[in-house]
Amino acid sequence: MGPGCAGVLGWLLLAQVASQAAGKRVAAAPGGGTQSLAFGAAKPRGRLKLGSHRSPLVSPPAAGGRPCDAKDFGHGSLVCACSATYCDTLDPVVLPAPGTFVRYESSKAGKRLERSEGSFQRNAATPDFHLTLDTAQRYQKVKGFGGSVTDSAAINIQSLSKDAQNHLLRSYFSEEGIEYNLVRVPMASTDFSVRLYTYADAEGDFELKHFRLTEEDTRMKIPILQAAQAVAKRPLSLYASPWTSPVWMKTNGAMTGRGTLKGSPGDKYHRAWAKYFIRFLDEYAKHNLTFWAVTAGNEPTAGEIVFYPFQCLGFSPEHQRDFIAQDLGPALANSSHRHVQLIILDDQRVMLPYWAQVVLKDPVAASYISGIGIHWYLDFLAPIDLTLSITHHLFPDYFLLSTEASTGSYFWEPRVVLGGWDRGSKYSHSILTNFNNYVTGWTDWNLALDMEGGPNWSKNYVDSPIIVDSSKDIFYKQPMFYHMGHFSKFIPEGSQRVGLAVSKKCRRCDLEHSAFLRPDGAVVLVVLNRSPVDVSFGISDPRVGFIEAMAPSDSIQTFLWKQPA
């Protein structure tokens, strides 16, 4: 994975490697550390009542889902506590009547996807900041939103009672929750495992006769994936990523540290590694779990770092290109999994567009590839227009997908912050900026972690949208969870980003936003206010009318309305 995966020395080493390969771009992921956060006693505030908010031309929220059982851990905002007997829920999305809109709002002050309704106006004064919808401008289509079923996530989910587990999975995947549709599944162990293993650890087993799934799959990840699919309204799109090959295939003979596959593309080591992907897909298919995609490998630049502390397998873009052209691409194409899409990079966006140029300009490799995966840990080094937008324009036929993100990963940060609003805002900021630059989907890292941010065999703890306290059979839904819901619940697969013109006459009214046209013809607009002041703004849909709106300080809103047929 990426968070905390190297110290400053690792960055310098990786910068040297990447600069040699690309001449100008570097990649890796932020530095480690093992500090954890000591928590004070939770101070219950009771259940938040949906519907206290009033604004012009907005009616009280409709009665519906169960409210948040709010807890305040003293970190600036609230978490919602869930147990075997209670968990907050949402109503299924229902489109409003023509000429009206619904708005869902979450805020640092305590709202959690609070629903309200209002009517469009035909004549209104134009505010200093307003957004005008332009559905004639069409951009990328949406794949979806989700998270990762790591070993650690599975351990935490299964540490709860059956009823609490059901509440957790329904919170993520069902219509009474935030309706995730993307799930990343590690192939064997990651740092978010309690031990290091692969599926083919028998020395020299080139035919993979001893390939076996482990208990982490058969008793943990597979049952959870099956249960998630059972509560989801639509089929889930699973995609798999390997962290490392078996050590007998590697140049350094270890799962961690600097090392790549022995030999060269087209040889027995590379053929065996390609076959490993097929065997993984074969075994999961026996459990009625089929995959939408695989990535060629998690963070291939990590395996170029000396003393890299977690599982990794190094690839340069040239090596990945040739492995795909000669081994992995043909293996998938000639298997029963030829429909499975192949994603390259699966690493920091700072490597773009160079990585894509090297791999996709080879016509043989490119013929097997569908998309490009990106992680967020070095985004501060990588201007989005010079990485994602330029990559899209160079290679418009290949989708961009955000495949991993987590907070609490930098060594100077506390690992878990219960009620940290800013961490949710970071998620929404990333999603909005990514989607406004042609990304098609956004995947969180661990679905659930414990109060320390683990378990993790290397103590590389991070935060998660759901934190489990198994000693109390309770889990806490963080602000990050609700920020994700502002997108995942309302922007289904097949939606398309559309134009949104901005008119701004004030300096301090900064808002972040993106608009989408759903497959059912409804419009979704998401507006994020990360500032400490309220911002008045207007929304104009030339086919419907005008909305006078206000974005409270530290808030996120999702608007939904129908357009005329």
Side-chain angles (χ1 to χ4, degrees), residues 3-4 30-37 376-377 406-417 422-423 426 461-463:
T34 59
Q35 61 178 308
S36 59
L37 186 65
W376 85 336
Y377 303 104
S406 63
T407 57
S409 61
Y410 299 111
F411 68 84
W412 59 83
E413 294 181 297
R415 294 305 176 226
V416 173
V417 178
D422 289 346
R423 291 188 168 182
K426 287 179 180 178
Y461 305 127
V462 299
D463 213 338

Side-chain angles (χ1 to χ4, degrees), residues 146-395:
S148 302
V149 178
T150 60
D151 292 353
S152 297
I155 288 168
N156 283 302
I157 293 168
Q158 291 187 338
S159 72
L160 296 165
S161 65
K162 289 295 183 184
D163 287 340
Q165 286 183 45
N166 185 52
H167 281 150
L168 190 153
L169 293 175
R170 294 189 70 84
S171 292
Y172 268 132
F173 296 102
S174 79
E175 280 193 296
E176 68 184 44
I178 60 174
E179 299 187 57
Y180 272 9
N181 73 311
L182 276 182
V183 185
R184 189 179 185 216
V185 183
M187 292 166 58
S189 66
T190 74
D191 52 322
F192 278 92
S193 300
V194 294
R195 65 187 184 98
L196 290 82
Y197 65 91
T198 75
Y199 300 131
D201 290 331
E203 183 79 25
D205 183 16
F206 290 99
E207 296 301 316
L208 303 185
K209 293 179 180 178
H210 300 286
F211 184 102
R212 298 285 187 279
L213 296 182
T214 66
E215 289 190 352
E216 285 87 346
D217 298 280
T218 58
R219 295 190 178 184
M220 293 163 47
K221 290 190 289 189
I222 286 172
I224 286 170
L225 291 168
Q226 292 169 333
Q229 182 59 79
V231 302
K233 180 181 179 182
R234 301 177 184 88
L236 302 178
S237 291
L238 311 183
Y239 68 101
S241 302
W243 265 241
T244 180
S245 69
V247 297
W248 57 269
M249 295 185 187
K250 293 184 67 175
T251 54
N252 64 336
M255 292 193 194
T256 63
R258 185 177 184 178
T260 186
L261 288 178
K262 293 177 180 177
S264 58
D267 72 4
K268 62 182 181 180
Y269 289 100
H270 288 71
R271 287 195 302 272
W273 181 228
K275 188 174 184 177
Y276 186 100
F277 284 72
I278 306 305
R279 289 299 311 277
F280 171 84
L281 297 171
D282 287 342
E283 294 302 316
Y284 266 67
K286 293 176 183 177
H287 298 272
N288 295 317
L289 292 171
T290 57
F291 281 74
W292 160 67
V294 295
T295 77
N298 177 74
E299 293 188 353
T301 58
E304 304 287 352
I305 302 174
V306 178
F307 306 125
Y308 188 80
F310 317 128
Q311 296 96 315
C312 58
L313 183 63
F315 277 87
S316 67
E318 294 81 4
H319 190 181
Q320 186 173 89
R321 173 196 66 202
D322 296 343
F323 169 60
I324 289 170
Q326 299 183 45
D327 302 291
L328 182 56
L332 285 167
N334 294 322
S335 75
S336 60
H337 311 290
R338 61 186 62 86
H339 64 282
V340 174
Q341 301 192 36
L342 179 56
I343 299 170
I344 61 169
L345 190 57
D346 198 13
D347 207 332
Q348 318 309 322
R349 79 179 188 211
V350 74
M351 290 302 292
L352 293 173
Y354 177 73
W355 196 283
Q357 289 174 307
V358 170
V359 178
L360 295 177
K361 285 188 175 180
D362 178 272
V364 177
S367 69
Y368 296 116
I369 294 163
S370 298
I372 304 163
I374 52 169
H375 295 189
W376 85 336
Y377 303 104
L378 280 185
D379 282 2
F380 58 88
L381 293 180
I384 199 162
D385 56 333
L386 298 179
T387 51
L388 301 187
S389 282
I390 194 171
T391 300
H392 168 76
H393 289 298
L394 286 169
F395 304 102

Side-chain angles (χ1 to χ4, degrees), residues 462-482:
V462 299
D463 213 338
S464 173
I466 285 183
I467 295 295
V468 172
D469 185 348
S470 59
S471 69
K472 299 177 181 178
D473 196 32
I474 286 175
F475 63 91
Y476 301 111
K477 290 151 82 167
Q478 295 258 55
M480 287 179 282
F481 174 90
Y482 296 95

Side-chain angles (χ1 to χ4, degrees), residues 70-150:
K71 307 291 182 185
D72 185 357
F73 284 83
H75 298 130
S77 194
L78 307 171
V79 298
C80 298
C82 294
S83 65
T85 56
Y86 187 87
C87 197
D88 57 293
T89 62
L90 297 162
D91 281 337
V93 175
V94 176
L95 299 183
T100 69
F101 66 90
V102 292
R103 173 176 55 202
Y104 291 81
E105 183 177 310
S106 299
S107 65
K108 186 175 183 179
K111 292 181 181 178
R112 294 296 179 262
L113 284 165
E114 181 178 300
R115 185 182 189 276
S116 57
E117 300 175 355
S119 297
F120 280 87
Q121 303 173 62
R122 278 297 176 186
N123 299 296
T126 302
D128 289 340
F129 188 109
H130 71 272
L131 306 169
T132 302
L133 189 75
D134 182 4
T135 56
Q137 294 288 328
R138 303 288 178 99
Y139 301 97
Q140 81 277 20
K141 287 196 173 181
V142 173
K143 179 60 187 176
F145 303 88
S148 302
V149 178
T150 60

